[in-house]
Amino acid sequence: MSTILVTGGLGTVGKVLGRTLRARSHTVKVSGLEHSHGDDYVRCDVGSFMQLSRIFDSERFDYVYHLAAEFGRWNGEDYYDKLWVSNVVGTKNIIRMQEKHGFRLIHFSSSEVYGDYEGVMTEDVMDKYEIRQLNDYALTKWVNEQQIMNSAAMHRTESVRVRLFNTYGPGEYYSPYRSVICLFIYRALHDLPYKVYLGHHRTSSYVTDTCETLANIVENFRPGEVYNVGGTEYHDIKALSDIILDYLKKRDSRVEYLPAEAFTTRDKRVSMEKAVRDLNHAPKTSLAVGVPKTIDWMRDVYIYKKGLVHLDEYL
C-alpha cells in the first residue's frame, strides 16, 4: 500500500477522497489552511515554500493528490491576488517538492480550461486548439497544467492531471462563491432569491462517484495522462433548481430566470472515455438521488443545526 498526501484535504472532495483512500488501506495524511485536530493532519499553506518543505523534509510520500486551491470564477475575480498565489505559486511549490523528493503527483485542474469550446470536450482539445480562458480561475488552472508538463519535460517528474466537471455533494459549506447546487440548495432552504441561467448545460458528478475514480489512479497511474471526470447526465441549470424545489416542496417564486451568465462556459459536453478505460470510471448516483442527499445534509447543518453532522450518514 502507498503513503499519500492530500493537499486541501478538508475540502468537499478532499475529505471524501481521504476516506476513500484509507478504506483501500493506504496511509493518508491531509493538509489544509485551518488548524485542526488529528494525527493525520498538518496545517500548511501551499503558497508557502517553507511550510511545504516542513512536510516533505519530515516524511516520504509515494503520491500527492494536489487539491489545495482557490475555487471558482467569481471568487477568482474578487480575490485574484489570493487566487494566483495559492493556485500558481502553490502548484509551483508542489512541483519543486516533487522534483526534489520524487513522488508521483495527481493534480486537480478544472473543466473551466475548455472555455467556450462548442464541441465534445475530449482531453486532447487543449492540444489541438487555442482556447480562450474566460476568467482568472480558468487561467490559473491552465497555467498549472503547463507548469506540470514543463516539469515533466525538464525534470522527468511523473504526474497525472484530472479535469473535474461540477462535483457536488454533502460536505460543501455555503458561501456566495460555491458551486451552483450548493448555492441553490442553501438559498431555497432559507427562502432567499437566486438566479437560474437558462442558457447553460452541465454534467454534474456526485462526490463519492468522483472520489472512487480518483482513488483508482494510484493503481492505474499513467504518467503524462489527463482525464475528464464528471457525471453522465447532461442537463440544463433549471433542471437542478427544479429537483431542489420539488424535493423541498417549494415554488419558484424566488427564482429569477435569465438567458445566460457572462464569462462563464455555456455548455460542457464531456467525453469520459479515457477515464472509463483507464480508471474504471462508473458514476452510479443520479441527480435524482444525489441532490436530495445533499439537501438532507445541508438542512441538518443550516436548519436543524444538530451540531456535529457526520458525512457518513449522507454519502
Side-chain angles (χ1 to χ4, degrees), residues 43-311:
R43 186 186 184 202
C44 177
D45 182 347
V46 296
S48 167
F49 188 85
M50 181 197 71
Q51 291 180 29
L52 272 177
S53 295
R54 185 184 301 147
I55 296 176
F56 288 101
D57 288 344
S58 63
E59 190 167 354
R60 180 188 176 278
F61 298 97
D62 302 302
Y63 296 88
V64 173
Y65 283 83
H66 179 39
L67 290 85
E70 287 289 311
F71 165 82
R73 59 196 180 278
W74 297 117
N75 176 55
E77 300 304 313
D78 290 346
Y79 299 95
Y80 60 86
D81 53 342
K82 182 63 175 174
L83 175 87
W84 284 90
V85 170
S86 295
N87 293 16
V88 176
V89 176
T91 296
K92 189 67 173 183
N93 288 339
I94 287 284
I95 291 169
R96 285 286 184 251
M97 294 298 116
Q98 183 186 21
E99 291 164 2
K100 179 179 179 180
H101 296 283
F103 54 82
R104 288 177 154 183
L105 176 66
I106 299 97
H107 174 75
F108 284 68
S109 185
S110 168
S111 60
E112 284 293 306
V113 300
Y114 290 107
D116 252 345
Y117 181 72
E118 294 182 352
V120 176
M121 294 173 176
T122 56
E123 289 87 348
D124 61 356
V125 163
M126 304 302 295
D127 303 321
K128 295 178 177 178
Y129 304 99
E130 184 176 345
I131 301 295
R132 177 173 176 259
Q133 309 300 317
L134 298 178
N135 51 71
D136 272 30
Y137 173 67
L139 279 167
T140 64
K141 287 301 183 179
W142 184 230
V143 168
N144 290 162
E145 294 201 37
Q146 298 294 319
Q147 290 172 308
I148 288 165
M149 289 187 284
N150 288 344
S151 178
M154 287 187 253
H155 301 282
R156 298 184 180 180
T157 49
E158 296 188 341
S159 302
V160 165
R161 292 162 285 143
V162 291
R163 297 170 184 158
L164 298 189
F165 281 73
N166 301 92
T167 299
Y168 75 96
E172 183 176 10
Y173 291 90
Y174 173 80
S175 88
Y177 299 108
R178 296 308 307 180
S179 72
V180 66
I181 292 178
C182 178
L183 297 181
F184 286 1
I185 294 173
Y186 180 88
R187 291 171 181 171
L189 281 169
H190 292 84
D191 293 314
L192 297 172
Y194 62 89
K195 298 175 181 178
V196 170
Y197 295 98
L198 300 173
H200 299 270
H201 295 80
R202 296 291 183 264
T203 53
S204 302
S205 176
Y206 193 63
V207 64
T208 53
D209 292 338
T210 297
C211 288
E212 287 294 331
T213 297
L214 296 174
N216 290 342
I217 296 175
V218 171
E219 287 82 19
N220 302 276
F221 193 93
R222 302 188 181 209
E225 280 291 6
V226 55
Y227 297 101
N228 293 330
V229 177
T232 57
E233 296 174 84
Y234 187 63
H235 59 83
D236 63 13
I237 304 303
K238 184 177 184 296
L240 298 176
S241 178
D242 289 346
I243 292 171
I244 292 164
L245 294 173
D246 287 348
Y247 189 72
L248 293 174
K249 296 180 172 58
K250 295 191 176 187
R251 298 181 181 274
D252 67 350
S253 57
R254 305 289 286 171
V255 179
E256 180 182 3
Y257 296 102
L258 298 169
E261 185 176 14
F263 311 111
T264 302
T265 304
R266 292 180 65 88
D267 301 314
K268 293 183 179 180
R269 289 182 290 166
V270 55
S271 167
M272 293 175 292
E273 291 181 9
K274 284 179 63 178
V276 172
R277 180 195 70 201
D278 294 351
L279 305 177
N280 195 30
H281 182 52
K284 302 178 180 65
T285 310
S286 67
L287 289 172
V289 173
V291 172
K293 285 185 177 183
T294 309
I295 293 171
D296 290 342
W297 177 81
M298 290 189 75
R299 185 159 44 191
D300 276 355
V301 170
Y302 292 109
I303 303 298
Y304 298 154
K305 298 179 181 177
K306 292 182 177 179
L308 183 63
V309 177
H310 294 284
L311 281 179

